[in-house]
Amino acid sequence: MPDSSGCTNGSGADHGAANHSAVVERQFGGQAAAYLASQVHAQGEEFAQLRQRVGGIDAARVLDLGCGAGHVSFQIADLAAEVVAYDLSPRMLDVVGESARDRGFGNIRTVQGVAESLPFADSTFDAVFSRFSAHHWRDVGLALREVRRVLKPGGVAAFIDVAASEQPLFDSFLQTVEMLRDTSHVRDYAPSEWAQMVGEAGLVMTANSRQRLRLDFETWIARMRTPDVMRDAIRQLQHDVGQEVRAAFDISDDGSFTTDMLVLWATKEHV
């Protein structure tokens, strides 16, 4: 997920990047332990796919891009030669490093930075995996071009994230509740948007699938320490939307709901 400590040349763009980085760190830095313990993040059918891909690569070097509390890194570390856990938040990385040592994973290395400017040489990694991170990136297109740059020819990438709907009504609802819960949220992208961005970055999409993700409202809110005023706004919005929205997200009386999750695979073709 340029240096997050501040502006590099005084330009408006750099100032904006620093501001967003500060928001992300504020939102997530203090919640690192909560994300490590989160069942939503620790479990998932997609982990089997990641392990299968890494297991088929000899001495794999893997980048866990926007690693959060390190769940992807921990899932694949026993199959890889090296895993680089990369994230904007130093406090998240501290949790990853400590947990890696506790689990005996000496091949997990932590690196801090933003997704749009990866501090790695061209053609460094056999695989780049990103899970539940891209919706925080300021410029997904730029980040995807960086992914292509650091992938070896023939390398694979997997992007796993909450997926927006192609229907504007449902899309608006999802983006609104996401922002109310977490002010570092930028956007959940629809599958068609992902396909376009991946292609424009020079990667070749090889597969994509969707899963349904059930979110327990109280746990979802507590994990982010969402202020009561924002929590109440989400609940009011859930109550006031039309039945078609309530049905699409299977909103329960307690606020729990279900959304789509996209698993997209891509590759960097040999030149």
Side-chain angles (χ1 to χ4, degrees):
M1 272 180 135
D3 186 282
S4 64
S5 61
C7 302
T8 56
N9 62 13
S11 72
D14 288 328
H15 181 66
N19 281 342
H20 182 66
S21 296
V23 171
V24 173
E25 170 59 12
R26 181 188 71 213
Q27 292 292 95
F28 285 93
Q31 295 301 95
Y35 272 81
L36 181 63
S38 167
Q39 292 304 302
V40 169
H41 292 79
Q43 300 176 358
E45 300 173 13
E46 66 278 7
F47 284 135
Q49 297 181 46
L50 301 182
R51 287 183 57 81
Q52 182 181 30
R53 292 299 181 102
V54 175
I57 302 171
D58 184 41
R61 295 193 68 199
V62 183
L63 174 63
D64 182 2
L65 178 57
C67 65
H71 295 103
V72 168
S73 295
F74 302 144
Q75 284 283 340
I76 62 173
D78 64 316
L79 300 171
E82 180 185 37
V83 179
V84 176
Y86 184 83
D87 202 87
L88 172 64
S89 171
R91 287 182 287 179
M92 277 285 191
L93 293 175
D94 288 343
V95 167
V96 174
E98 181 178 354
S99 186
R101 289 189 292 273
D102 291 344
R103 298 170 191 229
F105 291 136
N107 61 336
I108 295 178
R109 177 167 64 97
T110 61
V111 179
Q112 190 271 335
V114 297
E116 295 87 353
S117 182
L118 300 178
F120 309 110
D122 296 358
S123 303
T124 296
F125 297 101
D126 299 285
V128 177
F129 298 150
S130 182
R131 183 173 181 261
F132 296 144
S133 177
H135 60 272
H136 296 290
W137 300 347
R138 293 186 78 248
D139 190 331
V140 174
L142 178 56
L144 292 176
R145 291 194 292 275
E146 279 289 89
V147 169
R148 183 185 184 279
R149 181 182 66 78
V150 302
L151 268 177
K152 296 177 183 178
V156 297
F159 304 101
I160 301 159
D161 209 351
V162 172
S165 173
E166 304 286 355
Q167 298 188 42
L169 174 61
F170 301 153
D171 175 65
S172 295
F173 173 81
L174 179 63
Q175 308 299 342
T176 302
V177 298
E178 289 266 45
M179 180 67 81
L180 286 170
R181 172 187 178 252
D182 170 17
T183 53
S184 71
H185 175 77
V186 176
R187 179 166 178 79
D188 295 320
Y189 298 92
S192 63
E193 292 176 301
W194 268 109
Q196 180 177 343
M197 292 187 297
V198 165
E200 290 175 347
L203 295 165
V204 177
M205 186 173 69
T206 56
N208 74 89
S209 60
R210 276 186 278 184
Q211 303 172 17
R212 293 289 278 171
L213 180 66
R214 187 67 179 173
L215 295 169
D216 174 75
F217 184 80
E218 293 301 335
T219 304
W220 183 65
I221 290 295
R223 190 163 53 244
M224 190 50 61
R225 296 182 183 174
T226 302
D228 287 346
V229 65
M230 301 296 203
R231 177 191 185 282
D232 292 345
I234 295 172
R235 293 295 284 123
Q236 189 65 49
L237 181 62
Q238 289 180 327
H239 179 269
D240 290 348
V241 292
Q243 182 56 37
E244 65 269 45
V245 176
R246 293 185 60 82
F249 290 92
D250 191 18
I251 301 172
S252 299
D253 290 341
D254 68 355
S256 299
F257 65 99
T258 301
T259 188
D260 281 339
M261 186 180 78
L262 179 70
V263 181
L264 185 149
W265 286 91
T267 188
K268 176 180 178 178
E269 291 190 320
H270 292 277
V271 178

